[in-house]
mmCIF file of all heavy atoms in Angstrom:
data_model
loop_
_atom_site.group_PDB
_atom_site.id
_atom_site.type_symbol
_atom_site.label_atom_id
_atom_site.label_comp_id
_atom_site.label_asym_id
_atom_site.label_seq_id
_atom_site.Cartn_x
_atom_site.Cartn_y
_atom_site.Cartn_z
ATOM 1 N N ALA A 180 131.842 50.373 124.177
ATOM 2 C CA ALA A 180 131.724 51.830 124.167
ATOM 3 C C ALA A 180 132.982 52.521 124.684
ATOM 4 O O ALA A 180 133.389 53.569 124.189
ATOM 5 C CB ALA A 180 130.512 52.248 124.993
ATOM 6 N N GLY A 181 133.629 51.919 125.669
ATOM 7 C CA GLY A 181 134.805 52.535 126.258
ATOM 8 C C GLY A 181 136.042 52.486 125.403
ATOM 9 O O GLY A 181 137.053 53.122 125.738
ATOM 10 N N THR A 182 136.009 51.729 124.277
ATOM 11 C CA THR A 182 137.210 51.594 123.443
ATOM 12 C C THR A 182 137.206 52.487 122.221
ATOM 13 O O THR A 182 138.197 52.515 121.478
ATOM 14 C CB THR A 182 137.373 50.132 122.974
ATOM 15 O OG1 THR A 182 136.306 49.802 122.062
ATOM 16 C CG2 THR A 182 137.344 49.168 124.144
ATOM 17 N N VAL A 183 136.106 53.194 121.977
ATOM 18 C CA VAL A 183 136.008 53.991 120.751
ATOM 19 C C VAL A 183 137.129 55.018 120.670
ATOM 20 O O VAL A 183 137.800 55.172 119.641
ATOM 21 C CB VAL A 183 134.630 54.684 120.669
ATOM 22 C CG1 VAL A 183 134.595 55.653 119.479
ATOM 23 C CG2 VAL A 183 133.536 53.638 120.524
ATOM 24 N N GLY A 184 137.357 55.737 121.746
ATOM 25 C CA GLY A 184 138.398 56.766 121.737
ATOM 26 C C GLY A 184 139.780 56.190 121.540
ATOM 27 O O GLY A 184 140.560 56.688 120.715
ATOM 28 N N SER A 185 140.102 55.117 122.250
ATOM 29 C CA SER A 185 141.447 54.538 122.160
ATOM 30 C C SER A 185 141.711 53.915 120.793
ATOM 31 O O SER A 185 142.819 54.002 120.260
ATOM 32 C CB SER A 185 141.653 53.491 123.262
ATOM 33 O OG SER A 185 140.706 52.445 123.140
ATOM 34 N N VAL A 186 140.690 53.290 120.193
ATOM 35 C CA VAL A 186 140.877 52.659 118.886
ATOM 36 C C VAL A 186 140.994 53.696 117.778
ATOM 37 O O VAL A 186 141.886 53.623 116.926
ATOM 38 C CB VAL A 186 139.725 51.681 118.586
ATOM 39 C CG1 VAL A 186 139.802 51.182 117.139
ATOM 40 C CG2 VAL A 186 139.760 50.503 119.549
ATOM 41 N N THR A 187 140.109 54.678 117.778
ATOM 42 C CA THR A 187 140.131 55.678 116.711
ATOM 43 C C THR A 187 141.333 56.607 116.799
ATOM 44 O O THR A 187 141.710 57.243 115.801
ATOM 45 C CB THR A 187 138.840 56.511 116.721
ATOM 46 O OG1 THR A 187 138.650 57.096 118.022
ATOM 47 C CG2 THR A 187 137.637 55.656 116.367
ATOM 48 N N SER A 188 141.953 56.703 117.969
ATOM 49 C CA SER A 188 143.141 57.572 118.100
ATOM 50 C C SER A 188 144.441 56.821 117.809
ATOM 51 O O SER A 188 145.511 57.439 117.807
ATOM 52 C CB SER A 188 143.206 58.144 119.528
ATOM 53 O OG SER A 188 143.356 57.099 120.482
ATOM 54 N N ASP A 189 144.351 55.527 117.542
ATOM 55 C CA ASP A 189 145.531 54.712 117.241
ATOM 56 C C ASP A 189 145.385 54.177 115.818
ATOM 57 O O ASP A 189 144.672 53.188 115.595
ATOM 58 C CB ASP A 189 145.625 53.555 118.255
ATOM 59 C CG ASP A 189 146.883 52.730 118.071
ATOM 60 O OD1 ASP A 189 147.454 52.722 116.962
ATOM 61 O OD2 ASP A 189 147.302 52.063 119.038
ATOM 62 N N PRO A 190 146.045 54.794 114.831
ATOM 63 C CA PRO A 190 145.858 54.395 113.431
ATOM 64 C C PRO A 190 146.144 52.915 113.172
ATOM 65 O O PRO A 190 145.413 52.269 112.421
ATOM 66 C CB PRO A 190 146.862 55.279 112.673
ATOM 67 C CG PRO A 190 147.038 56.474 113.558
ATOM 68 C CD PRO A 190 146.944 55.955 114.965
ATOM 69 N N ALA A 191 147.165 52.363 113.805
ATOM 70 C CA ALA A 191 147.506 50.953 113.583
ATOM 71 C C ALA A 191 146.412 50.042 114.120
ATOM 72 O O ALA A 191 146.020 49.053 113.472
ATOM 73 C CB ALA A 191 148.842 50.638 114.247
ATOM 74 N N LEU A 192 145.908 50.361 115.307
ATOM 75 C CA LEU A 192 144.844 49.550 115.904
ATOM 76 C C LEU A 192 143.554 49.679 115.100
ATOM 77 O O LEU A 192 142.841 48.698 114.872
ATOM 78 C CB LEU A 192 144.627 49.975 117.355
ATOM 79 C CG LEU A 192 143.627 49.160 118.187
ATOM 80 C CD1 LEU A 192 143.976 47.676 118.178
ATOM 81 C CD2 LEU A 192 143.576 49.690 119.624
ATOM 82 N N LEU A 193 143.247 50.901 114.667
ATOM 83 C CA LEU A 193 142.052 51.112 113.859
ATOM 84 C C LEU A 193 142.132 50.329 112.558
ATOM 85 O O LEU A 193 141.161 49.691 112.129
ATOM 86 C CB LEU A 193 141.877 52.615 113.568
ATOM 87 C CG LEU A 193 140.667 52.986 112.703
ATOM 88 C CD1 LEU A 193 139.361 52.562 113.388
ATOM 89 C CD2 LEU A 193 140.654 54.490 112.439
ATOM 90 N N LEU A 194 143.295 50.343 111.913
ATOM 91 C CA LEU A 194 143.480 49.588 110.680
ATOM 92 C C LEU A 194 143.309 48.098 110.926
ATOM 93 O O LEU A 194 142.728 47.377 110.106
ATOM 94 C CB LEU A 194 144.862 49.872 110.096
ATOM 95 C CG LEU A 194 145.209 49.180 108.772
ATOM 96 C CD1 LEU A 194 144.258 49.631 107.675
ATOM 97 C CD2 LEU A 194 146.659 49.484 108.371
ATOM 98 N N ALA A 195 143.779 47.612 112.075
ATOM 99 C CA ALA A 195 143.670 46.194 112.395
ATOM 100 C C ALA A 195 142.214 45.781 112.578
ATOM 101 O O ALA A 195 141.800 44.734 112.061
ATOM 102 C CB ALA A 195 144.472 45.883 113.660
ATOM 103 N N VAL A 196 141.415 46.570 113.309
ATOM 104 C CA VAL A 196 140.015 46.188 113.513
ATOM 105 C C VAL A 196 139.218 46.316 112.222
ATOM 106 O O VAL A 196 138.280 45.536 111.979
ATOM 107 C CB VAL A 196 139.353 46.988 114.663
ATOM 108 C CG1 VAL A 196 140.026 46.697 115.987
ATOM 109 C CG2 VAL A 196 139.351 48.482 114.382
ATOM 110 N N VAL A 197 139.584 47.277 111.372
ATOM 111 C CA VAL A 197 138.947 47.362 110.057
ATOM 112 C C VAL A 197 139.276 46.110 109.248
ATOM 113 O O VAL A 197 138.419 45.542 108.573
ATOM 114 C CB VAL A 197 139.388 48.629 109.299
ATOM 115 C CG1 VAL A 197 138.941 48.574 107.833
ATOM 116 C CG2 VAL A 197 138.823 49.880 109.967
ATOM 117 N N GLY A 198 140.529 45.659 109.348
ATOM 118 C CA GLY A 198 140.930 44.434 108.662
ATOM 119 C C GLY A 198 140.133 43.231 109.143
ATOM 120 O O GLY A 198 139.724 42.381 108.334
ATOM 121 N N VAL A 199 139.890 43.140 110.452
ATOM 122 C CA VAL A 199 139.085 42.044 110.992
ATOM 123 C C VAL A 199 137.680 42.079 110.398
ATOM 124 O O VAL A 199 137.131 41.049 109.975
ATOM 125 C CB VAL A 199 139.026 42.113 112.531
ATOM 126 C CG1 VAL A 199 138.000 41.118 113.070
ATOM 127 C CG2 VAL A 199 140.395 41.827 113.131
ATOM 128 N N GLY A 200 137.072 43.264 110.377
ATOM 129 C CA GLY A 200 135.718 43.386 109.847
ATOM 130 C C GLY A 200 135.619 43.035 108.374
ATOM 131 O O GLY A 200 134.701 42.336 107.940
ATOM 132 N N VAL A 201 136.577 43.506 107.587
ATOM 133 C CA VAL A 201 136.566 43.244 106.140
ATOM 134 C C VAL A 201 136.835 41.764 105.859
ATOM 135 O O VAL A 201 136.115 41.118 105.079
ATOM 136 C CB VAL A 201 137.604 44.130 105.430
ATOM 137 C CG1 VAL A 201 137.751 43.713 103.962
ATOM 138 C CG2 VAL A 201 137.191 45.601 105.507
ATOM 139 N N LEU A 202 137.876 41.206 106.492
ATOM 140 C CA LEU A 202 138.232 39.810 106.229
ATOM 141 C C LEU A 202 137.185 38.832 106.768
ATOM 142 O O LEU A 202 136.874 37.826 106.118
ATOM 143 C CB LEU A 202 139.586 39.497 106.874
ATOM 144 C CG LEU A 202 140.818 40.102 106.205
ATOM 145 C CD1 LEU A 202 142.047 39.887 107.083
ATOM 146 C CD2 LEU A 202 141.054 39.490 104.823
ATOM 147 N N SER A 203 136.652 39.105 107.961
ATOM 148 C CA SER A 203 135.764 38.149 108.613
ATOM 149 C C SER A 203 134.301 38.276 108.202
ATOM 150 O O SER A 203 133.542 37.309 108.355
ATOM 151 C CB SER A 203 135.850 38.301 110.144
ATOM 152 O OG SER A 203 137.124 37.937 110.601
ATOM 153 N N SER A 204 133.902 39.431 107.720
ATOM 154 C CA SER A 204 132.485 39.620 107.408
ATOM 155 C C SER A 204 132.242 40.015 105.963
ATOM 156 O O SER A 204 131.576 39.295 105.218
ATOM 157 C CB SER A 204 131.876 40.677 108.343
ATOM 158 O OG SER A 204 131.872 40.237 109.674
ATOM 159 N N LEU A 205 132.787 41.146 105.537
ATOM 160 C CA LEU A 205 132.435 41.687 104.235
ATOM 161 C C LEU A 205 132.844 40.770 103.092
ATOM 162 O O LEU A 205 132.032 40.446 102.213
ATOM 163 C CB LEU A 205 133.082 43.063 104.064
ATOM 164 C CG LEU A 205 132.557 43.876 102.878
ATOM 165 C CD1 LEU A 205 131.097 44.230 103.073
ATOM 166 C CD2 LEU A 205 133.376 45.142 102.688
#
Side-chain angles (χ1 to χ4, degrees):
T182 68
V183 173
S185 60
V186 171
T187 55
S188 63
D189 185 336
L192 185 55
L193 179 61
L194 181 62
V196 296
V197 169
V199 170
V201 171
L202 288 171
S203 294
S204 295
L205 192 65

